[in-house]
Amino acid sequence: MSKKIAIPAGDFYQNNSNLKWVVLVISVLISVGSIYYTNVLVEQLKARERQQIQLFAKALEYTMSDLSNENILFVTDEIIFKNNSIPTIWITRDGEYQYRNIKIDSSLSESRKKRILEQQLKSMKASYEPIQMTYRDEQGNEDEYGYVYYKNSFLLTQLISYPYIQLSVIAIFGFIAYLAFNYSKAAEQNRVWVGLAKETAHQLGTPLSSLMAWIEVLREDNEMREKGVVEELEKDIYKLRIVTERFSSIGSVPVLKRENVIALVNTVVNYLRPRVSSKIKMEVHVMSEEIFANVHAPLFEWVLENLCKNAVDAMGSTGTIGIKVLRGNDGKVFIDVSDTGKGIPRSKVGMVFRPGFTTKKRGWGLGLTLAKRIIETYHKGKIFVKSSEENQGTTFRIVLDVV
Ligand SMILES: Nc1ncnc2c1ncn2[C@@H]1O[C@H](COP(=O)(O)OP(=O)(O)OP(=O)(O)O)[C@@H](O)[C@H]1O
Ligand SMILES: [Mg+2]
């Protein structure tokens, strides 16, 4: 007897999902950190821009006030012309206005220019409190002169949106990389499946044909024939031929044929019934005698066998396996395989179709992976856990198109 190597499949999936969480948490931390840091920079830059505008307003005040002398004017001009990044509009008490750092095409009509400025002013009013300018005469009397409005410089606006743009680009890139990785992983798995299946079928073929020749030799021997050896051997060879056919079908593109699903279900049940414990009942419930679908019989039977074997494993010594074949209203046929076994814990339902997932000592965790591949890739159908209740039982559903 061959000894199986224990593959800690459970650990693998556990680690894999832990890793996913670690990556997710780190990504969130990096995103939050980078947004927080940019916000700190943005606040500092905002404060600096406000100081700059306050100085700008002061400079304007000096230029307007009667106190101004040539020297101060020179300095204030320096300050005023230094502001070449923050969009600014200043309006005097009489409603006269001037602006800086707002691009307006000089060829535009006066009314169009005015409209643009009004729009700008509106967005400035929404951004920040304006800075008041005070007029001071020679006697030192103060009077309200006007207001300076401004909004964020182009640099600041860019800095505010920068981390979001950067993170979105990284997220999109990450998503594409993830898809590409998954795709190449699936393609690789596909090659392994197909190659292994073809090789198995090929290797089984040679001893099988020689066995068939030996049977002919045994048939000549009266003693052997009388003991029923030939008959038993023929049954085993028949089963071996089915296995070979299954492997060779899964290794190539199987040709689907219109088959009566109910007849196939009965074939499998009749084959399995004498082979499972007599305390396990197998029931088939059908509404009609015939429901046709395009299937590859050997592969479809393999799926049913896998589901029934899992059902037997889940039940232990006693229980009932029920197979229902139903016809849906939308041109579908449902094949429900139910058992009265231990059920699948809710947290594991999403994992049962993954290759290598098993809770059995001697399981490979391939039965359902194979079933999914056969139903979904070759038959364009669906297979899923319809319901499962712990210690009550499980129902798997296969959905195919009626033809
Ligand atoms: N009817 C069921 N009731 C309860 N658990 C089930 C049932 N069918 C599948 N499972 C769970 O899903 C797991 C995966 O099933 P799958 O048939 O893919 O592999 P396996 O039966 O463990 O091994 P093998 O490769 O020999 O089939 C099982 O180990 C079991 O935990
Ligand atoms: Mg199984």
Side-chain angles (χ1 to χ4, degrees), residues 9 13 352-359 362-370:
Y13 285 116
V352 293
F353 289 102
R354 291 187 189 169
F357 175 80
T358 182
T359 53
R362 294 185 171 277
W364 285 111
L366 287 180
L368 288 177
T369 313
L370 197 69

Side-chain angles (χ1 to χ4, degrees), residues 306 309-310 313 360 367-368:
N306 274 331
K309 278 184 192 159
N310 281 347
D313 291 341
K360 299 172 195 170
L368 288 177

Side-chain angles (χ1 to χ4, degrees), residues 10-11 26 30 54 62 81 83 86 97 107 114 143 147 188 204 208 222 234 241 267 303 317 324 351 367 402-403:
D11 285 350
I26 291 178
I30 291 176
Q54 273 164 345
Y62 274 111
F81 290 112
N83 171 21
I86 308 167
Y97 57 82
S107 64
K114 200 167 170 218
D143 197 1
Y147 287 93
E188 193 179 354
L204 278 174
L208 200 57
N222 282 339
E234 262 178 346
R241 269 173 50 193
T267 311
V303 172
S317 53
K324 262 189 222 159
M351 299 180 179
V402 174
V403 288

